[in-house]
mmCIF file of all heavy atoms in Angstrom:
data_model
loop_
_atom_site.group_PDB
_atom_site.id
_atom_site.type_symbol
_atom_site.label_atom_id
_atom_site.label_comp_id
_atom_site.label_asym_id
_atom_site.label_seq_id
_atom_site.Cartn_x
_atom_site.Cartn_y
_atom_site.Cartn_z
ATOM 1 N N TYR O 23 100.067 92.262 101.614
ATOM 2 C CA TYR O 23 101.244 92.003 102.451
ATOM 3 C C TYR O 23 101.908 90.660 102.108
ATOM 4 O O TYR O 23 103.123 90.479 102.183
ATOM 5 C CB TYR O 23 100.930 92.026 103.900
ATOM 6 C CG TYR O 23 100.924 93.495 104.387
ATOM 7 C CD1 TYR O 23 99.746 94.044 104.718
ATOM 8 C CD2 TYR O 23 102.110 94.195 104.437
ATOM 9 C CE1 TYR O 23 99.693 95.429 105.132
ATOM 10 C CE2 TYR O 23 102.090 95.527 104.870
ATOM 11 C CZ TYR O 23 100.888 96.121 105.153
ATOM 12 O OH TYR O 23 100.900 97.356 105.544
ATOM 13 N N ARG O 24 101.060 89.632 101.636
ATOM 14 C CA ARG O 24 101.660 88.373 101.295
ATOM 15 C C ARG O 24 102.639 88.530 100.141
ATOM 16 O O ARG O 24 103.624 87.859 99.990
ATOM 17 C CB ARG O 24 100.554 87.387 100.860
ATOM 18 C CG ARG O 24 99.673 87.016 101.998
ATOM 19 C CD ARG O 24 100.329 86.053 102.986
ATOM 20 N NE ARG O 24 99.382 85.751 104.069
ATOM 21 C CZ ARG O 24 99.720 84.987 105.058
ATOM 22 N NH1 ARG O 24 101.021 84.556 105.177
ATOM 23 N NH2 ARG O 24 98.888 84.738 106.036
ATOM 24 N N LEU O 26 104.784 90.698 99.825
ATOM 25 C CA LEU O 26 106.067 91.108 100.315
ATOM 26 C C LEU O 26 106.813 90.021 100.969
ATOM 27 O O LEU O 26 107.822 90.202 101.631
ATOM 28 C CB LEU O 26 105.897 92.334 101.327
ATOM 29 C CG LEU O 26 105.404 93.585 100.733
ATOM 30 C CD1 LEU O 26 105.146 94.625 101.822
ATOM 31 C CD2 LEU O 26 106.398 94.195 99.725
ATOM 32 N N ALA O 27 106.313 88.767 100.854
ATOM 33 C CA ALA O 27 106.981 87.602 101.460
ATOM 34 C C ALA O 27 108.382 87.386 100.816
ATOM 35 O O ALA O 27 108.648 87.967 99.758
ATOM 36 C CB ALA O 27 106.063 86.422 101.260
ATOM 37 N N PRO O 28 109.207 86.478 101.364
ATOM 38 C CA PRO O 28 110.515 86.422 100.912
ATOM 39 C C PRO O 28 110.823 86.025 99.506
ATOM 40 O O PRO O 28 111.867 86.243 98.990
ATOM 41 C CB PRO O 28 111.131 85.316 101.916
ATOM 42 C CG PRO O 28 110.265 85.360 103.066
ATOM 43 C CD PRO O 28 108.894 85.730 102.555
ATOM 44 N N ASN O 29 109.902 85.337 98.809
ATOM 45 C CA ASN O 29 110.176 84.871 97.438
ATOM 46 C C ASN O 29 110.102 85.945 96.397
ATOM 47 O O ASN O 29 109.040 86.334 95.943
ATOM 48 C CB ASN O 29 109.220 83.787 97.026
ATOM 49 C CG ASN O 29 109.594 83.157 95.690
ATOM 50 O OD1 ASN O 29 110.583 83.442 95.107
ATOM 51 N ND2 ASN O 29 108.674 82.263 95.258
ATOM 52 N N TYR O 121 115.577 95.651 99.957
ATOM 53 C CA TYR O 121 114.593 94.599 99.998
ATOM 54 C C TYR O 121 114.302 94.076 98.574
ATOM 55 O O TYR O 121 114.098 92.944 98.310
ATOM 56 C CB TYR O 121 113.359 95.048 100.646
ATOM 57 C CG TYR O 121 112.378 93.937 100.994
ATOM 58 C CD1 TYR O 121 112.346 93.366 102.245
ATOM 59 C CD2 TYR O 121 111.419 93.482 100.090
ATOM 60 C CE1 TYR O 121 111.588 92.376 102.599
ATOM 61 C CE2 TYR O 121 110.540 92.437 100.386
ATOM 62 C CZ TYR O 121 110.682 91.875 101.654
ATOM 63 O OH TYR O 121 109.790 90.812 101.998
ATOM 64 N N LYS O 130 117.867 91.065 103.024
ATOM 65 C CA LYS O 130 116.735 91.142 103.943
ATOM 66 C C LYS O 130 117.118 91.578 105.328
ATOM 67 O O LYS O 130 116.326 92.300 106.032
ATOM 68 C CB LYS O 130 116.012 89.813 103.936
ATOM 69 C CG LYS O 130 115.412 89.364 102.580
ATOM 70 C CD LYS O 130 114.376 90.331 102.117
ATOM 71 C CE LYS O 130 113.796 89.909 100.745
ATOM 72 N NZ LYS O 130 113.094 88.628 100.733
ATOM 73 N N GLU O 131 118.291 91.133 105.818
ATOM 74 C CA GLU O 131 118.694 91.501 107.144
ATOM 75 C C GLU O 131 119.000 93.037 107.223
ATOM 76 O O GLU O 131 118.599 93.686 108.194
ATOM 77 C CB GLU O 131 119.926 90.725 107.601
ATOM 78 C CG GLU O 131 119.612 89.266 107.976
ATOM 79 C CD GLU O 131 118.653 89.120 109.122
ATOM 80 O OE1 GLU O 131 118.682 89.980 110.080
ATOM 81 O OE2 GLU O 131 117.811 88.295 108.989
ATOM 82 N N PHE O 134 115.607 94.787 107.193
ATOM 83 C CA PHE O 134 114.968 94.705 108.546
ATOM 84 C C PHE O 134 115.594 95.771 109.475
ATOM 85 O O PHE O 134 114.790 96.458 110.268
ATOM 86 C CB PHE O 134 115.117 93.360 109.139
ATOM 87 C CG PHE O 134 114.387 93.070 110.406
ATOM 88 C CD1 PHE O 134 113.017 93.123 110.420
ATOM 89 C CD2 PHE O 134 115.044 92.817 111.567
ATOM 90 C CE1 PHE O 134 112.313 92.860 111.584
ATOM 91 C CE2 PHE O 134 114.354 92.587 112.747
ATOM 92 C CZ PHE O 134 112.978 92.587 112.797
ATOM 93 N N LEU O 152 107.389 97.077 108.035
ATOM 94 C CA LEU O 152 107.943 96.348 109.164
ATOM 95 C C LEU O 152 106.749 95.453 109.716
ATOM 96 O O LEU O 152 107.064 94.242 110.048
ATOM 97 C CB LEU O 152 108.494 97.286 110.259
ATOM 98 C CG LEU O 152 109.058 96.595 111.499
ATOM 99 C CD1 LEU O 152 110.330 95.787 111.025
ATOM 100 C CD2 LEU O 152 109.474 97.650 112.504
ATOM 101 N N ALA O 153 105.567 95.929 109.793
ATOM 102 C CA ALA O 153 104.458 95.155 110.161
ATOM 103 C C ALA O 153 104.200 93.978 109.238
ATOM 104 O O ALA O 153 103.885 92.876 109.629
ATOM 105 C CB ALA O 153 103.221 96.027 110.272
ATOM 106 N N ALA O 154 104.466 94.271 107.982
ATOM 107 C CA ALA O 154 104.260 93.186 106.931
ATOM 108 C C ALA O 154 105.320 92.070 107.149
ATOM 109 O O ALA O 154 104.971 90.860 107.014
ATOM 110 C CB ALA O 154 104.558 93.808 105.526
ATOM 111 N N ILE O 155 106.550 92.437 107.530
ATOM 112 C CA ILE O 155 107.550 91.484 107.789
ATOM 113 C C ILE O 155 107.140 90.674 109.041
ATOM 114 O O ILE O 155 107.308 89.450 109.026
ATOM 115 C CB ILE O 155 108.912 92.152 108.040
ATOM 116 C CG1 ILE O 155 109.456 92.720 106.700
ATOM 117 C CG2 ILE O 155 109.953 91.243 108.624
ATOM 118 C CD1 ILE O 155 110.679 93.598 106.882
ATOM 119 N N TYR O 156 106.691 91.303 110.071
ATOM 120 C CA TYR O 156 106.199 90.630 111.285
ATOM 121 C C TYR O 156 105.050 89.656 110.955
ATOM 122 O O TYR O 156 104.917 88.625 111.656
ATOM 123 C CB TYR O 156 105.804 91.622 112.354
ATOM 124 C CG TYR O 156 106.935 92.303 113.021
ATOM 125 C CD1 TYR O 156 106.836 93.677 113.338
ATOM 126 C CD2 TYR O 156 108.136 91.676 113.357
ATOM 127 C CE1 TYR O 156 107.875 94.420 113.930
ATOM 128 C CE2 TYR O 156 109.162 92.381 113.987
ATOM 129 C CZ TYR O 156 108.972 93.710 114.235
ATOM 130 O OH TYR O 156 110.080 94.364 114.886
ATOM 131 N N MET O 157 104.263 89.967 109.980
ATOM 132 C CA MET O 157 103.151 89.109 109.625
ATOM 133 C C MET O 157 103.566 87.930 108.834
ATOM 134 O O MET O 157 102.970 86.764 108.995
ATOM 135 C CB MET O 157 102.111 89.880 108.890
ATOM 136 C CG MET O 157 101.295 90.906 109.627
ATOM 137 S SD MET O 157 100.158 90.133 110.798
ATOM 138 C CE MET O 157 98.938 89.524 109.734
ATOM 139 N N ASP O 158 104.527 88.027 107.968
ATOM 140 C CA ASP O 158 104.854 87.068 106.902
ATOM 141 C C ASP O 158 106.185 86.451 106.894
ATOM 142 O O ASP O 158 106.332 85.303 106.373
ATOM 143 C CB ASP O 158 104.528 87.681 105.539
ATOM 144 C CG ASP O 158 103.065 87.942 105.340
ATOM 145 O OD1 ASP O 158 102.185 87.103 105.631
ATOM 146 O OD2 ASP O 158 102.768 89.089 104.957
ATOM 147 N N GLU O 159 107.261 87.177 107.326
ATOM 148 C CA GLU O 159 108.544 86.509 107.222
ATOM 149 C C GLU O 159 108.748 85.487 108.270
ATOM 150 O O GLU O 159 108.563 85.735 109.494
ATOM 151 C CB GLU O 159 109.587 87.627 107.381
ATOM 152 C CG GLU O 159 109.530 88.676 106.331
ATOM 153 C CD GLU O 159 110.334 88.361 105.093
ATOM 154 O OE1 GLU O 159 110.904 87.264 105.020
ATOM 155 O OE2 GLU O 159 110.344 89.243 104.203
ATOM 156 N N LYS O 160 109.060 84.281 107.916
ATOM 157 C CA LYS O 160 109.120 83.102 108.807
ATOM 158 C C LYS O 160 110.043 83.394 109.981
ATOM 159 O O LYS O 160 109.696 83.081 111.091
ATOM 160 C CB LYS O 160 109.585 81.863 108.071
ATOM 161 C CG LYS O 160 108.481 81.332 107.082
ATOM 162 C CD LYS O 160 108.988 80.070 106.491
ATOM 163 C CE LYS O 160 107.904 79.537 105.488
ATOM 164 N NZ LYS O 160 108.394 78.329 104.796
ATOM 165 N N ASP O 161 111.233 83.880 109.657
ATOM 166 C CA ASP O 161 112.236 84.101 110.848
ATOM 167 C C ASP O 161 112.052 85.373 111.607
ATOM 168 O O ASP O 161 112.711 85.647 112.541
ATOM 169 C CB ASP O 161 113.625 84.026 110.237
ATOM 170 C CG ASP O 161 113.962 85.154 109.203
ATOM 171 O OD1 ASP O 161 112.975 85.604 108.601
ATOM 172 O OD2 ASP O 161 115.047 85.502 109.091
ATOM 173 N N LYS O 162 111.074 86.217 111.148
ATOM 174 C CA LYS O 162 110.809 87.464 111.874
ATOM 175 C C LYS O 162 109.312 87.563 112.377
ATOM 176 O O LYS O 162 108.931 88.612 112.871
ATOM 177 C CB LYS O 162 111.048 88.651 110.963
ATOM 178 C CG LYS O 162 112.519 88.784 110.447
ATOM 179 C CD LYS O 162 113.399 89.126 111.543
ATOM 180 C CE LYS O 162 114.899 89.476 111.096
ATOM 181 N NZ LYS O 162 115.518 88.480 110.248
ATOM 182 N N LYS O 163 108.612 86.437 112.224
ATOM 183 C CA LYS O 163 107.166 86.505 112.520
ATOM 184 C C LYS O 163 106.879 86.907 113.941
ATOM 185 O O LYS O 163 107.432 86.305 114.899
ATOM 186 C CB LYS O 163 106.539 85.142 112.171
ATOM 187 C CG LYS O 163 105.063 85.223 112.145
ATOM 188 C CD LYS O 163 104.604 83.929 111.498
ATOM 189 C CE LYS O 163 104.795 84.006 109.927
ATOM 190 N NZ LYS O 163 104.138 82.842 109.226
ATOM 191 N N ASP O 164 106.070 87.870 114.172
ATOM 192 C CA ASP O 164 105.666 88.377 115.505
ATOM 193 C C ASP O 164 104.326 89.025 115.367
ATOM 194 O O ASP O 164 104.285 90.262 115.103
ATOM 195 C CB ASP O 164 106.705 89.277 116.043
ATOM 196 C CG ASP O 164 106.545 89.584 117.526
ATOM 197 O OD1 ASP O 164 105.374 89.661 117.980
ATOM 198 O OD2 ASP O 164 107.479 89.699 118.314
ATOM 199 N N TYR O 165 103.186 88.337 115.537
ATOM 200 C CA TYR O 165 101.942 88.840 115.335
ATOM 201 C C TYR O 165 101.572 90.013 116.229
ATOM 202 O O TYR O 165 100.856 90.963 115.873
ATOM 203 C CB TYR O 165 100.853 87.766 115.415
ATOM 204 C CG TYR O 165 100.945 86.744 114.305
ATOM 205 C CD1 TYR O 165 100.809 85.366 114.622
ATOM 206 C CD2 TYR O 165 101.233 87.149 112.994
ATOM 207 C CE1 TYR O 165 100.826 84.433 113.606
ATOM 208 C CE2 TYR O 165 101.249 86.150 112.013
ATOM 209 C CZ TYR O 165 101.133 84.820 112.272
ATOM 210 O OH TYR O 165 101.203 83.851 111.321
#
Side-chain angles (χ1 to χ4, degrees):
Y23 278 109
R24 294 286 179 186
L26 290 175
N29 184 8
Y121 196 91
K130 298 295 181 65
E131 285 301 320
F134 186 64
L152 185 60
I155 290 173
Y156 287 139
M157 288 292 286
D158 293 313
E159 300 273 3
K160 289 182 180 179
D161 61 335
K162 299 289 191 301
K163 194 166 287 187
D164 191 324
Y165 294 138

